[in-house]
Amino acid sequence: MRYELYYWAGIQGLGEFVRLALEEARADYVDIAREADGERAMLRLLDSKDVEHPPFAPPYLKAEELLIGQTANILFYLGPRHDLAPPTEAGRLWAHQLQLTIADLVDEVHDTHHPIASSLYYKDQRPEAKRRTADFVNSRAPKYLGYFEKVLIRNKAGSEYLIGANLTYPDLSLFQVVAGLRYAFPRAMTRLEPKYPRVTALHERVATRPRIAAYLSSNRRIPFNEHGIFRHYPELDVDT
Ligand SMILES: N[C@@H](CCC(=O)N[C@@H](CS)C(=O)NCC(=O)O)C(=O)O
């Protein structure tokens, strides 16, 4: 089966969490918006009256007859099909729970540069972004990173992964979170990272997996930029 991934062409954004899973699975997929006229095709599908279960926003994944929206939901679908999820129901719920927590974290990262409204430009909410980011790097990021460190410590399998002995899709997403936080807040992360050695080790472990390493050095990996979720605005990267 050839999957069709629908997501904005110029950014990693939420689509990247899906791309990483598809790449690790070596799944056959087309990144539709990056094809000629692809973004228009993506919007056409979003607006089509013929879609019975319309997604609210990208990313969405077409898998034969299914059209699946919501990043965590897409991963919930892909995980068991590509050996990226635990085998038991309890394990799959745990993976989904971790993924939803990552979604919460990602929302808060978005709000560092858009604390008032997504419809406004960053430059129109700069003072609020500064306050929000200071709280994020001093309070929220440590709380989330500390949580994932604790999950890694409590994994009875004693592996470097979040769940059991093997890689599952939340590991790929946590890798992306660390990469994104390093890009957005390099000064703050230099201070924070030593406190979360297992999270940092997991990032390295994922980055060096052969399929992920090949993906990261390919032109399929869109560089971070100031249109996505993880944005580097030096004035926000406080180190207090
Ligand atoms: N909770 C959704 C959020 C989807 C979302 O916010 N997509 C953004 C791009 S990153 C979008 O295009 N939003 C349009 C809108 O919110 O109006 C998910 O995880 O997939």
Side-chain angles (χ1 to χ4, degrees):
M1 180 207 325
R2 171 169 287 188
Y3 295 112
E4 292 180 358
L5 171 64
Y6 291 80
Y7 193 68
W8 304 106
I11 59 172
Q12 293 184 15
L14 292 173
E16 198 62 15
F17 296 96
V18 181
R19 292 190 188 107
L20 284 166
L22 291 167
E23 292 284 340
E24 175 61 27
R26 206 180 265 163
D28 185 10
Y29 77 102
V30 192
D31 204 336
I32 293 288
R34 300 188 75 190
E35 303 284 297
D37 218 20
E39 255 180 29
R40 218 177 302 191
M42 177 174 93
L43 295 173
R44 252 200 317 272
L45 186 58
L46 200 59
D47 291 338
S48 167
K49 292 189 173 63
D50 301 329
V51 175
E52 190 186 352
H53 298 153
F56 175 72
Y60 38 95
L61 185 80
K62 201 158 185 282
E64 292 182 334
E65 297 308 305
L66 290 175
L67 186 61
I68 310 162
Q70 292 286 353
T71 310
N73 200 35
I74 298 169
L75 293 169
F76 185 76
Y77 168 82
L78 287 174
R81 280 166 181 78
H82 293 283
D83 213 14
L84 290 173
T88 63
E89 183 183 41
R92 286 194 294 275
L93 279 173
W94 179 223
H96 193 47
Q97 181 176 327
L98 293 177
Q99 193 63 42
L100 290 169
T101 306
I102 288 172
D104 290 343
L105 161 54
V106 169
D107 269 354
E108 292 197 33
V109 172
H110 169 271
D111 290 350
T112 61
H113 48 80
H114 278 77
I116 301 295
S118 299
S119 53
L120 295 175
Y121 290 113
Y122 161 64
K123 67 177 175 53
D124 297 324
Q125 42 195 322
R126 213 175 260 162
E128 294 89 352
K130 227 167 171 171
R131 284 187 73 187
R132 185 68 184 250
T133 304
D135 180 71
F136 177 78
V137 298
N138 289 322
S139 163
R140 302 300 291 170
K143 185 164 184 179
Y144 278 111
L145 292 172
Y147 171 73
F148 287 110
E149 186 77 11
K150 179 170 74 181
V151 170
L152 286 161
I153 289 169
R154 295 216 187 144
N155 179 357
K156 284 208 188 93
S159 76
E160 277 186 43
Y161 295 119
L162 287 163
I163 306 171
N166 302 312
L167 176 118
T168 56
Y169 65 82
D171 293 311
L172 299 170
S173 295
L174 189 56
F175 154 81
Q176 175 66 7
V177 164
V178 172
L181 290 175
R182 281 182 185 174
Y183 173 77
F185 310 115
R187 293 181 64 202
M189 281 299 276
T190 301
R191 175 173 55 85
L192 286 175
E193 274 198 48
K195 297 177 189 155
Y196 314 107
R198 287 171 185 80
V199 171
T200 305
L202 177 116
H203 170 276
E204 301 313 324
R205 190 138 195 215
V206 170
T208 53
R209 288 178 74 86
R211 293 174 188 178
I212 296 297
Y215 169 62
L216 296 177
S217 60
S218 77
N219 61 10
R220 298 191 302 288
R221 171 81 164 181
I222 301 161
F224 284 109
N225 61 45
E226 279 51 72
H227 302 285
I229 293 165
F230 296 99
R231 302 186 185 189
H232 180 58
Y233 294 120
E235 66 274 21
L236 297 185
D237 183 21
V238 289
D239 187 18
T240 53

